[in-house]
Amino acid sequence: MQDENLFSDFFQPGFVPHELPQMAELLRARTYIDAFITLFRGGEDEVFVRLIVLREIGARADAPRWSPADLQSHFAYINQVKLDTVLKRLRDNGLLVWDSDEQLYAMSEAGRVALAAMGTMMQFAEGDAELGYLTSQVAAGQSLGQVSNEVMLNLLARLNELYADFEAALESQSEFQIRAAREKLEKVWQWVEKGTDVIRTVLTDEATDQRVYQIAQSIALAQARMLRLTSVFHRRLSELASQRVHLGQSGLSTTNVADWLRQQTQEKLASLGRDLILFHPEPHFVVSDILLDVAEYEICERERPVNIISEMPAGAAAQMVGEVEAERLLLAESLYDDLNRLVAGGLGGDLPAAVIAPTYNETAYRLSLLSLLGDAEAALEKSVVADIVKIPLRLEATSELFEPDHPEVASISHGRLTPLNTMQKKG
């Protein structure tokens, strides 16, 4: 009856709070929820002081019990009246326990749980915290054999949100939005990789609940979609770079100009355009007779200026871009020939031997092309890159590094290029 009276203003008549599945689960954890209510109710300054006191009390592991004198000495930097108020609130609401026989304070079970939850959250206070925090919660639950449906669903929802944001950036055809989305993907990449390992463990665990197993499958699919976006971003930015317009011989492009304008304040942009419009609009169409006079003048009397034919400045920068594209084409054709020889040999080859070229730039470009092997979208294009994608090879890279005797390449990942027909025979 206590719960019914407590929530009587929020539920329709006839609904008993503890009989609702959504509320029953919360009521079972009421002790810990009350601990958080105690910590976070009130003004921001009160909340921060409570957290400081509770964290400091919980951090003394060698002597977990505190006397009032210990607390006054340790928290000498806090106003004594405010400290007494904080200690009384924590004690009255069950986060601290007062031993009247020994005259000592100790942390309660609910206080320890709340403090541990706060500590986990604060580890992810920087960077893209949400995905890392959710992944860590799934990993922790899996290691204890208690994977939470709610945490799994939150992780799945966040992955779907990120993928939708990345897709929207690609569809916008905006170089700035695509670059920003790629940077965001790089920030969350480590959590996607760690999440893949965790979900793989959940799927292979025979004790996994059927509902959790289905959610884990959906998470694995969402992560796979995220993983293939790296090559998509790289290819789309390369396409936009090839379409970039260069401004004569200045070395600047339209992207540089747009990027500079985006960094200016509204006042600066207004000052740049202040003198560009010399005459204000004159609505002659308001009065019919004035409209007639203006039309007669425009058609019959106005002198038209002689058209002057001017030439665009020399396209030196565009020529340079063409030379770069030609060089990349030659490198792609060379890699295509090398990969075909590996397929013809039937045994494949080592990754470093296949990609290392005389310079770092050439090596990096050859390695980026190998990342597209098997990409169905790239295979639809009509180019030498599409021909490379269709070569029946699979790239198997490892975390080990190979240090070649090379003037510009310090290290490169170990790995192999294996013909697909060989893998099918082994299978």
Side-chain angles (χ1 to χ4, degrees):
M1 292 300 295
Q2 182 180 2
D3 291 336
E4 295 179 25
N5 296 330
L6 179 63
F7 301 108
S8 59
D9 293 338
F10 295 91
F11 291 94
Q12 296 287 354
F15 288 92
V16 181
H18 68 269
E19 293 180 356
L20 295 172
Q22 301 89 336
M23 181 60 72
E25 189 173 2
L26 293 174
L27 291 175
R28 284 197 296 269
R30 187 170 190 167
T31 301
Y32 305 114
I33 294 176
D34 286 341
F36 284 108
I37 292 174
T38 300
L39 286 173
F40 294 104
R41 173 176 287 177
E44 185 177 357
D45 51 351
E46 301 174 88
V47 171
F48 272 86
V49 172
R50 288 183 208 132
L51 291 174
I52 289 174
V53 172
L54 191 66
R55 293 184 70 207
E56 289 294 303
I57 292 176
R60 199 171 76 170
D62 55 339
R65 294 194 170 193
W66 296 69
S67 67
D70 292 338
L71 292 171
Q72 292 177 8
S73 175
H74 189 86
F75 296 106
Y77 52 88
I78 298 179
N79 181 285
Q80 185 61 47
V81 176
K82 298 296 184 184
L83 177 61
D84 292 340
T85 303
V86 170
L87 293 174
K88 183 178 185 303
R89 182 180 179 85
L90 296 178
R91 184 179 68 244
D92 292 345
N93 290 277
L95 277 77
L96 291 180
V97 177
W98 170 249
D99 189 337
S100 57
D101 294 334
E102 298 186 10
Q103 298 291 300
L104 295 174
Y105 283 99
M107 186 83 72
S108 70
E109 177 185 349
R112 289 285 180 194
V113 171
L115 196 59
M118 284 292 301
T120 304
M121 182 193 69
M122 292 177 65
Q123 292 178 358
F124 300 92
E126 298 179 359
D128 195 290
E130 184 180 11
L131 191 60
Y133 181 77
L134 293 174
T135 303
S136 70
Q137 293 299 300
V138 174
Q142 189 276 326
S143 64
L144 297 175
Q146 296 178 342
V147 182
S148 168
N149 285 1
E150 186 175 1
V151 176
M152 294 277 285
L153 288 171
N154 286 331
L155 177 59
L156 176 60
R158 183 54 183 156
L159 289 171
N160 288 334
E161 287 175 354
L162 285 171
Y163 186 79
D165 293 342
F166 296 149
E167 271 197 327
L170 289 170
E171 292 175 358
S172 70
Q173 296 294 326
S174 168
E175 182 178 355
F176 300 104
Q177 293 189 33
I178 295 175
R179 275 174 20 198
R182 186 180 65 173
E183 292 175 1
K184 188 172 185 179
L185 177 60
E186 291 175 353
K187 289 180 180 179
V188 303
W189 184 259
Q190 59 172 327
W191 300 118
V192 175
E193 289 182 327
K194 291 181 180 180
T196 301
D197 296 335
V198 173
I199 295 303
R200 185 181 296 113
T201 305
V202 173
L203 290 174
T204 56
D205 189 353
E206 296 181 355
T208 300
D209 180 75
Q210 181 63 27
R211 173 61 177 163
V212 173
Y213 186 86
Q214 293 175 353
I215 302 174
Q217 286 182 319
S218 300
I219 292 176
L221 177 61
Q223 289 172 334
R225 292 193 304 171
M226 294 271 286
L227 292 174
R228 67 177 294 274
L229 282 178
T230 301
S231 60
V232 178
F233 278 130
H234 177 77
R235 183 167 59 254
R236 191 63 56 84
L237 287 173
S238 298
E239 293 173 356
L240 292 174
S242 65
Q243 299 170 4
R244 189 176 299 156
V245 177
H246 291 262
L247 308 179
Q249 300 180 356
S250 65
L252 297 175
S253 67
T254 50
T255 299
N256 301 132
V257 176
D259 203 5
W260 181 83
L261 290 173
R262 287 163 61 90
Q263 298 174 11
Q264 306 307 307
T265 63
Q266 293 185 3
E267 293 76 10
K268 180 66 174 178
L269 293 175
S271 65
L272 290 175
R274 180 170 292 114
D275 299 326
L276 296 182
I277 300 179
L278 300 180
F279 303 100
H280 61 82
E282 298 180 2
H284 295 305
F285 55 86
V286 175
V287 184
S288 59
D289 56 343
I290 296 179
L291 175 62
L292 181 59
D293 292 342
V294 172
E296 183 179 2
Y297 168 77
E298 290 290 336
I299 296 174
C300 304
E301 301 178 12
R302 181 179 176 184
E303 295 182 3
R304 306 293 177 183
V306 179
N307 292 332
I308 300 175
I309 300 176
S310 59
E311 296 182 357
M312 292 292 290
Q319 182 180 0
M320 180 180 66
V321 174
E323 292 174 356
V324 172
E325 294 299 325
E327 181 181 357
R328 288 183 176 180
L329 178 61
L330 293 176
L331 290 175
E333 291 176 346
S334 174
L335 178 62
Y336 176 72
D337 295 337
D338 294 341
L339 296 180
N340 276 326
R341 283 194 289 270
L342 293 179
V343 174
L347 298 178
D350 292 332
L351 174 62
V355 300
I356 291 180
T359 66
Y360 169 81
N361 290 338
E362 295 175 5
T363 303
Y365 182 65
R366 288 167 66 94
L367 183 59
S368 68
L369 291 177
L370 288 182
S371 67
L372 299 175
L373 284 173
D375 191 316
E377 185 177 345
L380 300 176
E381 302 175 1
K382 294 183 179 180
S383 64
V384 66
V385 175
D387 295 336
I388 292 175
V389 171
K390 298 174 185 177
I391 293 178
L393 286 173
R394 178 177 178 178
L395 174 61
E396 298 175 336
T398 67
S399 59
E400 299 179 4
L401 295 179
F402 172 71
E403 298 180 355
D405 183 13
H406 195 282
E408 297 184 13
V409 179
S411 62
I412 189 172
S413 298
H414 261 303
R416 282 194 60 80
L417 291 166
T418 306
L420 295 179
N421 55 359
T422 302
M423 296 180 64
Q424 294 171 355
K425 291 180 181 179
K426 291 182 179 179

